[in-house]
Each structure stands twice: as structure tokens, then as C-alpha cells.
């Protein structure tokens, strides 16, 4: 436990993280969650909210609780259920909690980089949790470093917190101090900030990462909940009210029936389309429907775009399954569960030895020969990033008796890295940036391969969703970046070649 006026940590840091086998996936940055409610177990509610958002980050978890003039903070490496237990939560009473699940995109995976960030100001302590990634972190670090600034982490989130601290210490109140700090930040940021004056929820001008809010208990009671996704509201019985809109600052005060809402930035909406395709939970609702429905629809579109004769459609669990069901519905080819996923494999586990790998050990996915043997299979996955696991999967399906393997991908080819809070490799590690469709098909040793078209991906979304960020498919980065940052990941393209 760490408090704003004294520090002690109840648990030893889990230093001995095991070697992680890097999954062949784009990986989510973080989940944020906050509860503002009098006489409620706000830490326990944050625990359950973070539990629902665990898919957004599994490296560390933290909760800060406001108790009169103190901020109680507990954070550590590991899953929410590993970092917190009832004894810890029982010590964290108060009326405002700020929670965070982390997966590192900026800053290494260490407990000092876990969030929330808690800092002191002349108006009291505040706690900040961030999902996203700044593209001007280097410049912001220079701006907030007044020579006395004591950086304790290597994250861009701490820089946002220092910007808030300096604005408030410079004489501004919480609302205008936060707004002043936001104007120094460029990039993707969905933020929850707990202060003595209430709870703030903010999205960057483009709305790259999602953020929603709802109420707890009776409407009008003034008990508010903010979450990265609607599944975080539902797990604690909160009712969805609205999205925090792109470029919006929402200020919730305890007991206030309506929050204060202000548009602080006016950029075009560019929600990350990968949130819809893969990152967010399928039961979370975007634009009035569950992502399960959207993902089924892109499966239907994929079936129309790249039909093939086969006996069975299977999905790569879990994220490929709704699209596989949609593909099956559209094509009339039966759907079956052909792959079983070990649900207990976390982000960190011991790498199988070379001998184990050669023996075909399958840590995460195991095919069902009873289902697959003698069948021509269409296998649906949400994306191919490096292509490392897709090839192994094809081998496993053939070993299980599949006579043909046709791979269909429910997103366009990932050709460019992300700078907005998703962990991607440099461009040369992305298989679709190096190889043609035919070369990837041969590399994966599949009988046929097709991706969803970009038009199909966008058309499947509801009209009111507006435009998306789809830069990892088309290089159309919505937020301007300096050449140095671009070049850090764009290793295939000549320097100076940018869209913006
Ligand atoms: S570059 Fe790709 S992963 Fe990153 S925000 Fe844009 S669509 Fe999402």
C-alpha cells in the first residue's frame, strides 16, 4: 500500500517474471476505470471493473482511493486477481477510486511504471490513469522538466500527470489546469483523473481509444462510473449513459445528477478500428451494438468477398469465433469448434524448450482431430501480424487430419505499425509489409488465403460510427508525428515519405 503522505508496499514486487513467449498479436495498451460514489465500496467496485477489463492489460494493475485528504494507492505487477485480495481492498475505503490495468507500450514492464500515477499539488493529491500513447512524449518531457521534476517512471502517463500538477500549482483550478495540460499532449489518450474536486474523464481529440460512463444505483443519485468499455459498467450493475466523446472533458462531482461536459478539442473522430475488430471485448457495446454483432457481420462480409468450397468453418479462439459464425451463416458451410484454447495461459509463461516445440507442444491452442479429420477447413482469424503462430496453427490443423486449410482473416493486411497505444513491431517485422498475398499463402502453407477488404471492414460498421483510424492497414496516420518517431518503426519506407 502506498499513500500520498507515506509509502509502504505490502507485497514484494514480483521480480521473477518468467520469460514471455511473445504472442503473434497486436496487443492492447491499457484499461482504465473509475467510481465516484458515497458510502460505496469503491475499491471493490474498481477491482471488478478492472477484472472485466483484464483483456486490455495483464502486466500490472493498480487502484487509488480518495479518503478525505489522503490518496491510498496499491499497485503491483500481475493480474488484478494477483495484485488485490480482500485484505488489501478492505483497507481502501473512500468515495472515489481510480483503477488501471497495464500493458506496456511506453516504458518497460516494471512496477514503477504501473498506474495510477499519484502526485501532490497545492490543491491536494490527484490520481491519473491513462490508456493510449503520446506521440510528443519527448517534447512533453522537456516541457515539464523544470529541473526539480522527479521522474519516477519511464511512461508518457507520468508526463501528463506532471503537466496537470504544474498547471494547478501555477494557480489554475482543477478543471482549467487539466484542460491546460491536455493542450500540451499530442497522441492517443483516454484518461480518468481523480481529484479532491471530483472525477474527470477525458478523450483525446480524435477519440482513438474508447471511454464510456454510466451511473450506479438510482439515476440522479450522483454515483458515477467511467470505464474503457461498457463491459466494465455491466459487471458492477452500472447503467450506460454515454461515451465520453472524442475531444471531450467530463467532470463528475459527487452527488451531482448531471456531469459538466465540455469539448476541449475539435479534431475529426478517428476511433481505432482494431478496437472493433479485436481489442475490445465482444460483449462491449460500440455505437449501440455489441462487438459480437459487428464481428459476425465482418465474417459475413468476408464470406461474400472470398467464398471457397469447404466442409467446415472454424474460428481461432476467442476473437476469431464471431467472424467464423458470421462466415458460416453467410456461406451455409457448417461451423464447428475445431480448436480448444487453454484459458489459463497468461502473458507470462516459461517458453517451451526447443525440444518441446519440435515435439509440437501447443501451449495455447489444441486442435480437435475428431472434428477436423478428413475435412476441408476454413479457419478464420482476426489478424496476421508477424505470421509466426499462424504457420504453426496450419501445421497443427493438418496434423489433426484436415485435408485442406483455407485461411480467412477478418481484417485487412497489417502493413504499418501503431503509434497510438498498441504494441506493434517495426514495419519490417509485419509479414504483410514484406510479402505479397501469394508469398504469405506459401509461407503459411495454406491452400488459400484471403483478407477482409478495407471497404468491407468500414461498411460493416454502423453509419454513425464515422471515420476510423486504420493507419496500420493504410498508413493514413491521423495524428501528425515527427520524422524521428515515424522512422523508429517505419523501417521499410524511405525517410521523409509520410502522409502528413
Ligand atoms: S494504427 Fe491501427 S492499431 Fe493503431 S490506433 Fe490506428 S487502427 Fe488502431
Amino acid at each position: 500500500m502506498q499513500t500520498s503522505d507515506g509509502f509502504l508496499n505490502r507485497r514484494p514486487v514480483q521480480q521473477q517474471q518468467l520469460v514471455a513467449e511473445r504472442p503473434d498479436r497486436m496487443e492492447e495498451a491499457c484499461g482504465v476505470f473509475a467510481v465516484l460514489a458515497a458510502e460505496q465500496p469503491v475499491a471493490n467496485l474498481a477491482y471488478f471493473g478492472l477484472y472485466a477489463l483484464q483483456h486490455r492489460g495483464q502486466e500490472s494493475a493498480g487502484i487509488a482511493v480518495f479518503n478525505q485528504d489522503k490518496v491510498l494507492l496499491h499497485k503491483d505487477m500481475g493480474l488484478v486477481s494477483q495484485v488485490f485480495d480482500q485484505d488489501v481492498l478492505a483497507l481502501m475505503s473512500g468515495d472515489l477510486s481510480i483503477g488501471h490495468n497495464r500493458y506496456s507500450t511506453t516504458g518497460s514492464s516494471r512496477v514503477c511504471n504501473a498506474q495510477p500515477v499519484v502526485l501532490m499539488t497545492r490543491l491536494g493529491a490527484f490520481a491519473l490513469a491513462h490508456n493510449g500513447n503520446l506521440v510528443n512524449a519527448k517534447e512533453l518531457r522537456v516541457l515539464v522538466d523544470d529541473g526539480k521534476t522527479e521522474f519516477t517512471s519511464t511512461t508518457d502517463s507520468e508526463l501528463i500527470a506532471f503537466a496537470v500538477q504544474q498547471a494547478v500549482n501555477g494557480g489554475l483550478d482543477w478543471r482549467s489546469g487539466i484542460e491546460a495540460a491536455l493542450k500540451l499532449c499530442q497522441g492517443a489518450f483516454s484518461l480518468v483523473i481523480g481529484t479532491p474536486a471530483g472525477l474527470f474523464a477525458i478523450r483525446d481529440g480524435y477519440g482513438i481509444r474508447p471511454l464510456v460512463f454510466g451511473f450506479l444505483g438510482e439515476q440522479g443519485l450522483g454515483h458515477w462510473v467511467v470505464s474503457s468499455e461498457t463491459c466494465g459498467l455491466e459487471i458492477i450493475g452500472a447503467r450506460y449513459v454515454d461515451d465520453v466523446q472524442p475531444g471531450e472533458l467530463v467532470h463528475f462531482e459527487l452527488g451531482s445528477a448531471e456531469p459538466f461536459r465540455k469539448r476541449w478539442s475539435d479534431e475529426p473522430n478517428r476511433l481505432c478500428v482494431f478496437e472493433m475488430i479485436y481489442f475490445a471485448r465482444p460483449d462491449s457495446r460500440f455505437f449501440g451494438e455489441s462487438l459480437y454483432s459487428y464481428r459476425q457481420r465482418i465474417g459475413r462480409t468476408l464470406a461474400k468477398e472470398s467464398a471457397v468450397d469447404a466442409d467446415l468453418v472454424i474460428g481461432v479462439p476467442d476473437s476469431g469465433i464471431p467472424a467464423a459464425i458470421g462466415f458460416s451463416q453467410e456461406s451455409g458451410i457448417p461451423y464447428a469448434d475445431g480448436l480448444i484454447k487453454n484459458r489459463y495461459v497468461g502473458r507470462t509463461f516459461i517458453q517451451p524448450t526447443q525440444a518441446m516445440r519440435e515435439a509440437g507442444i501447443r501451449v495455447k491452442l489444441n486442435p480437435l482431430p475428431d472434428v477436423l479429420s478428413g475435412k476441408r477447413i476454413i479457419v478464420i482469424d482476426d489478424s496476421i501480424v508477424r505470421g509466426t503462430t499462424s504457420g504453426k496453427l496450419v501445421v497443427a490443423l493438418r496434423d489433426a487430419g484436415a485435408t485442406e486449410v483455407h485461411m480467412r482473416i477478418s481484417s485487412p493486411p497489417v502493413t504499418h505499425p501503431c503509434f497510438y497505444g498498441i504494441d506493434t513491431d517495426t514495419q519490417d517485422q509485419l509479414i504483410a509489409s514484406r510479402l505479397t498475398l501469394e508469398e504469405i499463402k506459401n509461407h503459411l502453407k495454406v491452400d488459400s488465403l484471403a483478407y477482409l477488404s478495407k471497404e468491407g471492414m468500414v461498411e460493416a460498421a454502423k453509419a454513425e460510427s464515422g471515420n476510423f483510424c486504420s493507419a496500420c492497414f493504410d498508413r493514413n496516420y491521423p495524428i501528425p508525428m515527427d520524422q524521428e518517431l515515424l522512422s523508429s518503426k517505419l523501417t521499410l519506407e524511405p525517410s521523409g515519405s509520410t502522409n502528413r
Side-chain angles (χ1 to χ4, degrees), residues 337-374:
D337 291 327
L339 290 162
I340 300 303
K341 180 179 177 180
N342 181 344
R343 297 185 189 285
Y344 305 98
V345 177
R347 268 193 56 78
T348 52
F349 56 90
I350 304 171
Q351 282 230 21
T353 62
Q354 187 59 29
M356 289 164 81
R357 266 187 246 127
E358 279 163 14
I361 187 167
R362 293 170 197 125
V363 177
K364 286 190 175 174
L365 290 174
N366 208 22
L368 283 170
D370 304 14
V371 174
L372 302 169
S373 182

Side-chain angles (χ1 to χ4, degrees), residues 178-214:
I178 289 171
E179 195 176 331
L182 299 177
K183 295 205 161 128
L184 302 177
C185 300
Q186 288 165 28
F189 47 93
S190 283
L191 300 167
V192 287
I193 305 178
T195 74
L199 166 63
F200 292 84
I202 296 128
R203 272 172 96 192
D204 68 75
Y206 299 88
I208 302 265
R209 299 281 147 237
L211 196 63
V212 298
F213 69 93

Side-chain angles (χ1 to χ4, degrees), residues 384 387 390-391 394 407 439-446 449:
I384 302 177
S390 304
V394 175
M407 188 168 277
E439 287 168 341
I440 300 171
K441 171 185 159 276
N442 294 336
H443 177 80
L444 299 179
K445 298 187 171 58
V446 286
L449 171 68

Side-chain angles (χ1 to χ4, degrees), residues 12 33 139 172 196 247 271 295 331 352 359 412 435 437 464 473 481 487-488:
F33 193 82
E139 295 80 359
L172 297 177
L271 174 71
R295 290 171 191 171
S331 64
L435 305 182
L437 183 69
E464 61 266 34
F473 308 123
M481 285 170 283
S487 305
S488 67

Side-chain angles (χ1 to χ4, degrees), residues 60-317:
S60 66
I63 297 174
V65 169
F66 286 68
N67 184 318
Q68 297 180 352
D69 57 346
K70 282 187 184 166
V71 177
L72 310 165
L73 174 64
H74 184 78
K75 56 185 181 179
D76 208 337
M77 305 305 290
L79 302 173
V80 181
S81 58
Q82 295 168 323
V83 172
F84 293 94
D85 59 27
Q86 195 48 52
D87 293 345
V88 172
L89 294 170
L91 294 170
M92 301 182 79
S93 62
D95 52 22
L96 169 57
S97 58
I98 300 291
H100 191 264
N101 283 333
R102 178 161 197 270
Y103 171 70
S104 56
T105 51
T106 299
S108 56
S109 180
R110 290 182 289 149
V111 74
C112 65
N113 288 335
Q115 297 185 34
V117 180
V118 175
L119 292 179
M120 187 58 85
T121 72
R122 67 181 180 90
L123 298 178
F126 70 100
L128 176 147
H130 170 212
N131 172 204
N133 213 42
L134 297 187
V135 296
N136 70 331
K138 225 169 124 185
E139 295 80 359
L140 187 59
R141 191 179 167 99
V142 172
L143 270 178
V144 300
D145 188 0
D146 60 5
K148 291 177 279 180
T149 312
E150 291 180 20
F151 298 102
T152 59
S153 80
T154 54
T155 67
D156 52 357
S157 314
E158 188 185 37
L159 303 178
I160 306 173
F162 277 124
V164 172
Q165 183 192 47
Q166 290 174 5
V168 170
N169 283 346
L172 297 177
D173 62 15
W174 285 110
R175 206 182 275 173
S176 23
I178 289 171
E179 195 176 331
L182 299 177
K183 295 205 161 128
L184 302 177
C185 300
Q186 288 165 28
F189 47 93
S190 283
L191 300 167
V192 287
I193 305 178
T195 74
L199 166 63
F200 292 84
I202 296 128
R203 272 172 96 192
D204 68 75
Y206 299 88
I208 302 265
R209 299 281 147 237
L211 196 63
V212 298
F213 69 93
F215 63 85
L216 194 63
E218 298 293 313
Q219 189 164 17
L221 206 57
H223 289 177
W224 297 102
V225 184
V226 182
S227 172
S228 288
E229 297 176 33
T230 59
C231 65
L233 302 181
E234 285 155 10
I235 195 173
I236 61 166
R239 301 280 294 277
Y240 170 84
V241 173
D242 200 359
D243 287 26
V244 176
Q245 297 300 323
E248 189 178 36
L249 174 151
V250 186
H251 181 190
F252 305 91
E253 291 176 281
L254 192 60
S256 171
E258 287 296 330
F260 168 86
R261 305 182 69 165
K262 178 179 179 186
R263 186 94 190 225
W264 66 272
S265 171
D266 201 18
E267 305 290 351
N269 296 2
R270 291 288 184 271
L271 174 71
C272 166
V273 73
F274 243 121
E275 293 278 355
M276 307 269 292
I277 290 171
Y278 162 62
F279 297 136
R281 249 173 59 161
D283 53 336
S284 283
R285 299 178 72 79
F286 281 52
F287 309 111
E289 71 169 354
S290 72
L291 291 180
Y292 187 87
S293 298
Y294 171 74
R295 290 171 191 171
Q296 271 202 356
R297 208 158 49 242
I298 53 178
R300 284 177 169 275
T301 306
L302 190 57
K304 284 183 210 155
E305 289 183 349
S306 56
V308 60
D309 198 18
D311 303 312
L312 272 185
V313 180
I314 66 169
V316 178

